[in-house]
Amino acid sequence: NKNNTVTTNNAEYDENLKVFKTIGYTKVITSENYVIESEDIIIDKKNNSIFSEKKTKIRDNDNNIINLENFNYQKENEIFKSIGLIEIEDKLKNSYKFSQIYIDTKNGEILGSDVSAYLNNEEFKIDKKNDPRIMANTFAINKDKSTFKKSVFTMCGYRSNKKNEDLCPPWTIQASQMLHDNKKKTIYYDNAVIKVYNIPIFYLPKLSHPDPSVKRRTGFLSPTLNDTKNLGLGLKLPYYFAINEDKDFTLTNRLYLDENPLIIGEYRQAFKKSNLIFNMGYTEGYKKTSDKKVGGDKSHFFSKFTHNFDTKDGTISDLTIKTQDVSNDKYLKLYKLDSDLVDYNQNYLENSFNFSHTNDDYFLSVDASIFENLKESYNDKYEYIFPEILFDKNLYQSQTLGIL
């Protein structure tokens, strides 16, 4: 092809066989602007192919870097082929390993088998400790989507035993097909099986959720695994509802192998100068009771409302109202609730009202609080503060003497 260019220091050409052979390092730029760097490349004009049995590096139009043990390029259908150890690093620093690959340069598509995909892009990580990865039988990728057949996906960090042998991740999603739509930033699964420590827990014929790079959209969020002494192994499955620009809701199912689930809902709404959060939860409690595991329903309700009364004249006024209530003193630590409204490590609940006002002349603060102690050994269950008023006024102000 007259649009392919070859650069090398040494080469030889066989007129009878119509074979052009390079010796040593060679660089080829194809008509599709693919850059090939290899050694001892053979250009067979009769069969209209370019190939090499030496290690090869290819850079495509999307700046994906492909490392091969060998390659064969068919100019007629514009397809690269390779068998052996194949590694790809894309422009987002994600890496892929294959045992066989086909690259359709005309349509900009890559097909591979025996796939291990390691998603190193930080946008795919909810936590820095995450190691998102996908294993699949086959793989197809283009600029719009990535498709994995017979796939296993997890975001869990790597685990190993004392012998440094790899252990199964705490949770995985296994599917007959997994499709990542780059434009919609959504991951779709067919015949999804959610496994915990390799034990099947749920089956869903169809499942979809935003990819981890999406900050706000209705759909499933990434599941997390927890294991506690009293509740055993559990899986947290949150579903996020983006109601509109100023409000959203998260429904979280905490599912346990041996205990009743805990259902948690959190509603958030932002106003012009205010914010409101409600967090509530319910569970039927222990399935099997004992002296230490008391039966009965358990629930909680937390809320926080804040309002800012800032005005143009420089005065600042803030109002904060908090409520915290649980049906059982051990509830917080038992379920280790993770919310911005409460710290499960604390030994008390707070119901409070706080108002403060500040201007150039004075500061006023009014507080009223009820603290509920959650310790069994503590005699005083409640502490009341009704009300606490703080008033601070500037009696005299001058540029020379300052403020009194």
Side-chain angles (χ1 to χ4, degrees), residues 46-60:
K46 282 186 176 181
N47 295 312
N48 210 19
S49 65
I50 303 173
F51 61 91
S52 174
E53 296 299 324
K54 298 297 181 67
K55 290 185 178 180
T56 302
K57 179 180 178 180
I58 299 175
R59 184 186 298 272
D60 67 14

Side-chain angles (χ1 to χ4, degrees), residues 350-397:
E350 178 184 352
N351 293 273
S352 61
F353 170 93
N354 175 266
F355 173 79
S356 63
H357 176 82
T358 305
N359 62 24
D360 293 338
D361 293 326
Y362 67 88
F363 169 79
L364 172 66
S365 173
V366 179
D367 293 289
S369 304
I370 301 174
F371 293 94
E372 179 182 354
N373 198 292
L374 301 177
K375 290 183 178 180
E376 290 183 352
S377 59
Y378 204 77
N379 294 326
D380 294 328
K381 181 71 173 176
Y382 297 96
E383 180 181 352
Y384 302 90
I385 301 175
F386 282 140
E388 182 180 47
I389 300 174
L390 176 63
F391 182 76
D392 186 4
K393 180 173 175 57
N394 300 327
L395 300 178
Y396 177 80
Q397 180 176 348

